Amino acid sequence: RIVSGRGCLRDFANINQFGKRCLIVTGKSSAKVSGVLADAEALLSKTGISYQIFDAIEPNPLLETVYRGGKAAREFGADFLIGIGGGSPLDAAKAVGIFATNPDMAPEEIFTSPRKDALPLLAVPTTAGTGSEVTPYSILTVPSIENKKSVAGDDLYPKVAFLDPDYTKSMPVSVTFSTGVDALSHAVEGFFMKKASLVSDALARTAIPLLAKGLRQAAAAQSASDISDETREMLLYGSALAGMVISRTGTGFVHSTGYMLTYYHDVPHGHANAYFLADFVAFMEKASPERAREIYALCQVKNADELFALISSCNAMPLDMKLPSERLSYYAERTIGTKNVANGLAAITEEELLAVLRRRLGETA
């Protein structure tokens, strides 16, 4: 269920249907700065629900952290969870819910073992990008493989997603743009996946113009206060629609390649995707020129070069990273075997992917 509009969390009347004890899962700051935490605490207190806060979630949440969160939920006796934040806390909350109901599960067994359903989750995004509030995925950082890994299941769909654009106002321009590019990546990548359907295409066709327009307006802003309420709303709702796209289609090599920059260089996820999205469309254009033309039209650009110009137009999010050739070769090798590469209408080769990496990140590019 999606509940949207300003004040939607404060006005929610049926939260006690989920139980009497709640664990709030979040990071250190965004829930407080955005105002969500205060609203959530007031709602829980008003309805007589006991709660505790687990605020240890870091950016790109570690498997060990969510394992500890699951233990905290069990010890508190939580009936349900509220996840507050960007993609990291929301993805983490899903995994916390799994570990809470599966006390004998070792951390890495979350990806492979049969399990009981996770605790019910209510999701409140404070960014407009990941779409985690409407997807069945939890993306976790696993140091043992030096990469991210996902767990999925219908039980991981949040029971309620609260979409209040006011909660995104605390995002600075750089985060607003980066998360917006992530959302655009979801909608665009999903359009070229083998699992794309009439439904996912319809969602993408609605999301992409909202996101492209929102990115143009965010790029022109000098500070967060310059970003209008209308732009915040477009980006948040576009992000949710794009999340619905990938919940049906999965993502392509933009994501798996971007994970390399995030894991090894701490580049925010959407920022990392920005390096590769235009080249992804250019590559898929060979397999489906009509779909590529439609993407360009929806973004109001003429070609992949203009799409890259749009994605790189924000001074607060420069695309200026340069890496040595041996690192790029390593990242191409690490990426090429992922399921994301195989998901697309055409599968990029390691040599073709390395050419993309060299074009965008090569020291002599």
Side-chain angles (χ1 to χ4, degrees):
R1 179 183 176 188
I2 295 176
V3 182
S4 62
R6 290 174 173 82
C8 62
L9 176 63
R10 293 189 297 273
D11 298 337
F12 191 65
N14 301 314
I15 196 167
N16 54 8
Q17 68 182 291
F18 298 104
K20 296 181 179 180
R21 298 176 73 81
C22 172
L23 184 73
I24 297 174
V25 180
T26 188
K28 288 294 184 185
S29 62
S30 64
K32 297 175 183 177
V33 173
S34 63
V36 184
L37 184 59
D39 286 349
E41 289 184 283
L43 176 62
L44 293 170
S45 297
K46 180 176 67 175
T47 51
I49 296 173
S50 300
Y51 67 90
Q52 284 188 358
I53 300 171
F54 183 78
D55 61 359
I57 305 304
E58 62 273 277
N60 307 303
L62 292 167
L63 180 58
E64 182 60 33
T65 302
V66 297
Y67 182 73
R68 289 192 290 110
K71 182 180 178 182
R74 282 197 309 276
E75 291 177 347
F76 177 60
D79 298 312
F80 69 102
L81 308 173
I82 296 178
I84 302 172
S88 290
L90 298 188
D91 281 9
K94 297 173 186 178
V96 167
I98 293 174
F99 284 122
T101 57
N102 294 273
D104 298 326
M105 178 181 284
E108 295 205 19
E109 289 179 343
I110 193 174
F111 303 110
T112 57
S113 296
R115 59 179 175 81
K116 297 178 182 177
D117 283 354
L119 286 179
L121 170 65
L122 312 185
V124 191
T126 61
T127 66
T130 70
S132 184
E133 69 275 7
V134 294
T135 73
Y137 308 126
S138 173
I139 312 297
L140 305 172
T141 299
V142 186
S144 64
I145 63 170
E146 297 185 348
N147 206 346
K148 293 186 176 185
K149 198 169 183 178
S150 66
V151 58
D154 286 348
D155 59 316
L156 300 188
Y157 279 108
K159 303 305 180 187
V160 184
F162 296 91
L163 303 183
D164 185 336
D166 282 350
Y167 291 147
T168 70
K169 287 183 175 181
S170 59
M171 284 193 297
V173 173
S174 59
V175 178
T176 300
F177 198 86
S178 173
T179 55
V181 171
D182 187 24
L184 183 64
S185 298
H186 293 159
V188 170
E189 287 177 83
F191 205 64
F192 291 100
M193 294 297 102
K194 293 174 183 176
K195 291 184 179 179
S197 65
L198 289 173
V199 173
S200 65
D201 285 353
L203 291 166
R205 289 181 178 113
T206 304
I208 291 170
L210 291 174
L211 295 166
K213 184 177 180 180
L215 287 173
R216 285 187 172 90
Q217 295 179 2
Q222 299 298 309
S223 67
S225 61
D226 294 332
I227 301 175
S228 69
D229 289 351
E230 179 189 16
T231 298
R232 296 286 187 195
E233 192 171 73
M234 284 191 296
L235 289 170
L236 181 62
Y237 296 157
S239 171
L241 291 167
M244 294 179 202
V245 173
I246 61 166
S247 72
R248 291 158 172 81
T249 66
T251 56
F253 73 73
V254 174
H255 270 66
S256 51
T257 311
Y259 290 158
M260 296 292 100
L261 301 188
T262 298
Y263 185 85
Y264 289 105
H265 304 282
D266 293 322
V267 179
H269 177 54
H271 193 162
N273 287 352
Y275 283 96
F276 311 118
L277 183 58
D279 294 286
F280 170 83
V281 179
F283 176 78
M284 290 297 172
E285 189 170 0
K286 304 169 190 173
S288 184
E290 69 285 352
R291 282 186 170 261
R293 285 194 295 269
E294 186 168 1
I295 289 295
Y296 298 142
L298 290 168
C299 291
Q300 294 189 320
V301 299
K302 295 177 182 177
N303 50 43
D305 288 340
E306 289 193 6
L307 179 58
F308 186 78
L310 167 61
I311 294 168
S312 60
S313 62
C314 181
N315 291 333
M317 195 196 80
L319 299 182
D320 55 4
M321 173 177 277
K322 299 299 176 186
L323 297 171
S325 180
E326 60 269 19
R327 292 306 295 176
L328 301 181
S329 297
Y330 177 65
Y331 295 159
E333 180 183 351
R334 287 289 307 276
T335 299
I336 201 64
T338 63
K339 64 182 180 181
N340 304 69
V341 172
N343 284 344
L345 296 177
I348 197 168
T349 66
E350 186 173 336
E351 293 75 18
E352 290 168 327
L353 182 57
L354 181 56
V356 170
L357 286 160
R358 285 173 173 163
R359 181 182 183 192
R360 297 305 179 193
L361 297 164
E363 291 179 329
T364 59

